[in-house]
Amino acid sequence: MARFQHTVTLAPVPRRWFDSCVITLHDLAESIEAEGARLRLPDGRRMPELLLAQGAHLRPGARYHPENDDGSGPDVDQTLTILAWDRKRETALELVTLDDDPGGPGHMACTLRLTSAERPREARLSVKVQAGGGAWTK
């Protein structure tokens, strides 16, 4: 079995800049309103390419799918799930992508957890990949 390892070195960013970005992203997400499966931006425009498939917007268990390229409905092979959404405690998202390619189906699951959006203390990213029907790799 082939194994790949990659190290990413991240340059530090100013703390105020990072905190500001996290708050801005939370503010933007919370300003979006759900009308059934459709999501609307604060100015009333439809949010392109993202549909609410299950649950209440930004509540644990809410599931979102991107829209198919032809606009025919949700692409169920890609799912974004809200695991937690609480500015003071934790924000957690899971992204799952399925590839049904007959030559080598694959799955990828990414989980991002952020402790306290109001004052970020810890971020964790976990990625699992399964290629060609093999075992999951973390």
Side-chain angles (χ1 to χ4, degrees), residues 38 67-74:
R38 297 284 178 204
E67 200 167 23
N68 283 319
D69 292 336
D70 61 7
S72 64

Side-chain angles (χ1 to χ4, degrees), residues 21-34 39-42 47 50 56-59 64 80 82 84-85 87 91 93 117:
C21 286
V22 169
I23 294 284
T24 299
L25 289 172
H26 269 76
D27 287 346
L28 177 61
E30 290 169 2
S31 71
I32 294 170
E33 294 186 15
L39 301 172
R40 297 240 175 246
L41 296 168
M47 186 169 175
L50 191 63
H57 177 54
L58 295 183
R59 299 285 183 251
Y64 303 84
L80 173 68
I82 304 293
W85 193 272
R87 282 179 181 247
T91 300
L93 310 170

Side-chain angles (χ1 to χ4, degrees), residues 87-103:
R87 282 179 181 247
K88 293 181 182 184
R89 293 189 178 127
E90 179 184 45
T91 300
L93 310 170
E94 179 184 56
L95 176 63
V96 176
T97 301
L98 307 173
D99 183 0
D100 295 332
D101 181 5

